[in-house]
Amino acid sequence: MTEGPQQQAQVDPLAAVRAPGDPPWDVYLTGTVFLDIIFTGLDSAPVRGTESWARGMGSSPGGVANMATALARLGLRTSLAAAFGDDHYGEYCWDALEQGEGIDLSQSRTVPGWHSPVTVSMAYEGERTMVSHGHEPPPEETAPDCPPHARAAVASLVPGERAPWIAQAAAKGTRIFADVGWDDTGAWDLAGLADLEHCEAFLPNAAEAMRYTGADCPRAAARALTAYVPVAVVTLGAEGAYAVDRRTGETAEVPAIAVEALDPTGAGDVFVAGFVTGTLAGWPLADRLAFAGLTAALSVQEFGGSLSAPGWSEIAAWWEKVRSVDGQEPAALRRYAFLSGLLPRGAVRPWPRRRAVPTIGFGRSA
């Protein structure tokens, strides 16, 4: 059984900035929830015409649920609007998110007769292969209070398309953080990302940033993107991440944390969640970038998307562990010293820690 909000160490990263009259939600999300079925312990990629046996298998909500779970486990009050099938998969995902993670689903709905989208993910050699199945999503239903008032929202921009809720949320004062997927059209035209005008921050990876800007390096691409959005964050893979804040003139670059990567599923979502958390808490740009990179690094040591998102217990255990190792570079330790004032007091579990992975079909106490 996964570790729910009641079992995680309770940390409110926004405690210092909360005030009467604040929005009821810290972050709002909308999108498609998949049931992820994850096969682990494969020695290699499946070979055509043969049968492969996996040493482990689990299931969890995926898709937009990866981001929602990552935010909730970092202590942010998270509201998710999504459609759920009325099949067993949909019921399982709803229960795992609402009861297991404490995510608000009052803006979500169950759609009679709709088949829940499913993704099968096979993890091996630090990589993954996925196969998905789904039916045409049901049409959106008009909701006068959706999007709800929130401090922030996370949006995935689609080239050539506007999402009306983004402008509506921005008009209410919600701070929009955006990422983007690969442009299958090949246009790579920033003008096609029309909703970027409503965003506070844009977080593409290096390849996406360079294609959109035509820059010959990711750092130049980040600087070019600030002509369109106040804060540009470009992830650099094994090199870490680079960010520019046009409003303050700040730049920051933080190297990646070296870890054994078991499954990268959801790491990008966890990175964004960490950056959103630090931004809403008012941290300096370099601290936000370091925290985002740390949470992403912790997540790739676990299998699965939403299952792998770290909470404050994992972050505290990592910080305690690295400080106990002789020969650590002082500058590297200072980079994460801001964690000391945030982390839960008292004993923490040893790090790294492996979660048990749930399988559909067992009772709630399994």
Side-chain angles (χ1 to χ4, degrees):
M1 187 172 182
T2 54
E3 184 173 79
Q6 290 77 26
Q7 297 159 289
Q8 272 279 0
Q10 296 299 305
V11 173
D12 182 0
L14 306 190
V17 299
R18 295 199 188 278
D22 280 350
W25 307 113
D26 295 325
V27 187
Y28 168 75
L29 296 161
T30 186
T32 302
V33 173
F34 288 73
L35 170 71
D36 281 357
I37 300 174
I38 308 123
F39 289 99
T40 65
L42 290 163
D43 295 321
S44 63
V47 177
R48 181 178 179 179
T50 67
E51 181 179 17
S52 298
W53 279 84
R55 289 188 292 275
M57 191 201 86
S59 52
S60 67
V64 71
N66 293 338
M67 179 76 73
T69 300
L71 291 161
R73 289 186 179 180
L74 292 177
L76 299 188
R77 301 168 185 172
T78 302
S79 177
L80 171 62
F84 291 79
D86 64 348
D87 50 17
H88 188 45
Y89 293 168
E91 293 173 1
Y92 166 78
C93 288
W94 185 293
D95 184 66
L97 294 173
E98 185 179 58
Q99 302 300 322
E101 304 295 346
I103 295 166
D104 170 67
L105 297 180
S106 62
Q107 302 293 336
S108 295
R109 67 194 192 281
T110 297
V111 181
W114 186 56
H115 185 296
S116 296
V118 176
T119 292
V120 174
S121 176
M122 292 163 280
Y124 53 88
E125 299 174 353
E127 296 294 337
R128 68 194 175 181
T129 297
M130 295 185 292
V131 178
S132 296
H133 169 74
H135 294 254
E136 187 68 23
E140 294 290 335
E141 297 177 358
T142 302
D145 57 344
C146 190
H149 192 197
R151 294 174 187 267
V154 181
S156 289
L157 304 185
V158 178
E161 296 182 16
R162 279 189 181 271
W165 74 264
I166 295 176
Q168 295 165 12
K172 295 179 181 180
T174 297
R175 303 162 73 176
I176 311 295
F177 296 76
D179 61 13
V180 68
W182 193 257
D183 187 353
D184 292 327
T185 70
W188 297 103
D189 181 8
L190 278 168
L193 301 180
D195 284 324
L196 203 58
E197 65 180 345
H198 303 298
C199 298
E200 172 172 335
F202 184 41
L203 299 95
N205 64 34
E208 295 159 350
M210 289 190 289
R211 285 181 177 264
Y212 271 116
T213 61
D216 59 2
C217 80
R219 293 158 188 83
R223 293 191 292 271
L225 286 171
T226 59
Y228 299 86
V229 65
V231 179
V233 180
V234 176
T235 54
L236 309 175
E239 294 182 40
Y242 179 80
V244 183
D245 189 329
R246 181 186 70 205
R247 296 165 301 188
T248 65
E250 275 183 289
T251 62
E253 183 165 359
V254 176
I257 296 173
V259 294
E260 179 188 0
L262 297 180
D263 181 5
T265 304
D269 294 324
V270 174
F271 181 94
V272 173
F275 190 81
V276 170
T277 299
T279 301
L280 295 183
W283 302 347
L285 185 62
D287 289 355
R288 289 182 262 163
L289 208 58
F291 185 72
L294 168 60
T295 54
L298 294 178
S299 78
V300 302
Q301 296 176 98
E302 303 277 358
F303 288 111
S306 60
L307 287 173
S308 70
W312 288 100
S313 292
E314 289 90 344
I315 296 167
W318 174 85
W319 182 231
E320 183 175 281
K321 175 69 173 179
V322 297
R323 287 187 298 165
S324 69
V325 176
D326 293 334
Q328 292 281 17
E329 184 180 341
L333 289 176
R334 286 197 297 273
R335 173 62 275 155
Y336 296 92
F338 69 93
L339 292 172
S340 295
L342 295 166
L343 297 174
R345 300 289 189 267
V348 295
R349 295 182 178 90
W351 179 89
R353 181 173 65 82
R354 300 282 176 253
R355 288 191 186 89
V357 181
T359 301
I360 291 177
F362 290 100
R364 294 178 185 271
S365 61

